[in-house]
Every structure is written in C-alpha cells, then in structure tokens.
Amino acid sequence: KLNLNTIVFHIRTHNDAYYNTKLAPKSNYISAANFNQWDYLSWFIEECHKRGIEFHAWLNPYRIKSSGYAAGTTASDVANTYSNYPKNPASKADNILMTYSNGAILNPCKEEVQDYIVDVCIEVMENYDVDAIHFDDYFYAQMSKDITVLTEPDQDDYEAFINANPSCGYSKTSATNKKQWRRDNIDDFIEKLSIAMTEFNSENGR
C-alpha cells in the first residue's frame, strides 16, 4: 500500500543484541524474548520477504554506551559487566575507550575488536536471511573536553603503532597524523569485513 521495498531494522545498538547470539548480552528492549521458543527476528524477516520487502540489518559496531556512566567509571568497571561474555572484547578493559559524555566505545584500533565485529556480522548472515548490513556510529567518539586527540586515551595505542611501524611516516605529536591513523583503523576493519562477507556469499551461493 505504501510502496515500501526495504526495512532497515536495528539489531545491535550498544554492544548488545536484538537477536539470538552468545557474542553479546541480550538488549534490555527484548529482555523477555525466549529465542528457544520463538525467534521473532526470523519470523519478521520471513514476513518481510513474503511481501517483497528486503530486510537490512542495522548495527552499531563500537558503541557500548552513549552516556550515563557515573563520574569516575573506568574501563575496568565496564569490562566487569561483560564477565559473562568472554568472547566479547568489552570483557577486557584494554579494548574499551571511555568517552567525554560518560560513555564508552570498543577501541577501533584493536585487532580483537575488529575481528569480533566481523564475527558478529558473519554470525548474523549465517543465522538470518538478511539482504544487507548497515552501520552507523562507526567512528571514534569524543574522549576529551576540547577534542585534543593527542591527549585522549588511545594515545598509547597510537604511539605503539608508530614504534612498531617506524616507516609509516606518522609523528607522535601530529594531531593530523593521529586523526588519519584513526581513519586507517576504521578502513582496516571495513576491508576485513568486505573480504569475509565476499567469501561467505561465494561459499553459500549468495
């Protein structure tokens, strides 16, 4: 009636899940869902396809919490809340960056984080007949009052990268270089995901 041909549906908002997985805690919004009895998302996707509507899965890759942690909350405090999810990189403080808005994100430079999000996407593709995957908020959140990137919590990671890659041409005191390094980290993740998705589609005839 409305000539809709696509639904973009949020299935991961805060390092959680609106679907059946062991890689992240269930979102509070679907806390009552019992996937062993009825997988509402599989049903919803099937109903979309019956009507000629594509189902696009929408994920936030890095965001753990936008705001609301008590002042003084540390990455270790956040990691403790994921102790029951050892496969989730947020279970380790080193994979977490605290933000200026009293929130937290997964650290995009960490290989464990990148590989985890790839695994999240491939698991969704394996278990649900999705037609596409969308991201938003796949960037670094603000971590200091004045956005002084050279004093933000990932500075040690940036300097470690330069030490390990002396020919990269980046300076430890260049904010422009560090911003590009951050973009490089996002690009690296997207490249890994593209390769994994292409392989999956090829192996599964999609």
Side-chain angles (χ1 to χ4, degrees):
K1 182 178 179 180
L2 298 176
N3 294 317
L4 298 178
N5 61 11
T6 304
I7 286 177
V8 183
F9 189 85
H10 223 163
I11 67 168
R12 172 185 166 90
T13 60
H14 297 86
N15 196 32
D16 54 8
Y18 291 60
Y19 57 95
N20 191 23
T21 180
K22 294 181 179 179
L23 297 178
K26 188 188 300 181
S27 168
N28 290 334
Y29 291 110
I30 59 162
S31 58
N34 185 334
F35 290 104
N36 292 324
Q37 293 182 352
W38 181 56
D39 190 327
Y40 85 92
L41 190 59
S42 290
W43 170 85
F44 184 40
I45 295 172
E46 183 179 347
E47 292 300 311
C48 287
H49 290 163
K50 283 180 182 178
R51 293 161 174 80
I53 297 174
E54 291 189 358
F55 181 93
H56 293 197
W58 170 16
L59 298 81
N60 293 84
Y62 303 124
R63 184 172 64 194
I64 298 174
K65 194 168 185 176
S66 299
S67 61
Y69 284 123
T73 298
T74 67
S76 293
D77 295 329
V78 176
N80 288 338
T81 66
Y82 285 86
S83 59
N84 292 331
Y85 298 90
K87 293 182 180 179
N88 193 302
S91 62
K92 301 177 183 176
D94 192 45
N95 291 325
I96 298 170
L97 294 173
M98 304 305 296
T99 68
Y100 176 63
S101 60
N102 292 325
I105 63 170
L106 294 173
N107 188 340
C109 86
K110 299 296 187 180
E111 187 172 354
E112 182 178 353
V113 169
Q114 296 177 9
D115 292 343
Y116 167 76
I117 302 170
V118 171
D119 289 343
V120 165
C121 294
I122 297 301
E123 182 194 51
V124 169
M125 294 169 65
E126 289 174 340
N127 295 334
Y128 296 96
D129 188 17
V130 300
D131 299 295
I133 286 179
H134 293 256
F135 290 141
D136 72 332
D137 284 13
Y138 64 108
F139 48 75
Y140 282 76
Q142 183 177 344
M143 287 174 271
S144 61
K145 180 179 180 181
D146 301 315
I147 319 181
T148 51
V149 295
L150 294 175
T151 61
E152 291 189 336
D154 62 338
Q155 182 66 18
D156 288 343
D157 294 316
Y158 176 56
E159 295 185 8
F161 171 82
I162 294 174
N163 291 338
N165 300 274
S167 63
C168 68
Y170 287 171
S171 167
K172 296 178 182 179
T173 59
S174 170
T176 298
N177 286 168
K178 184 174 180 182
K179 291 174 183 178
Q180 183 57 50
W181 169 77
R182 286 179 169 183
R183 287 189 287 270
D184 292 343
N185 293 326
I186 306 299
D187 290 346
D188 289 344
F189 155 60
I190 293 297
E191 182 178 14
K192 287 181 180 179
L193 178 60
S194 176
I195 292 171
M197 291 176 72
T198 300
E199 290 178 352
F200 177 88
N201 287 333
S202 176
E203 292 171 359
N204 292 275
R206 294 189 181 180

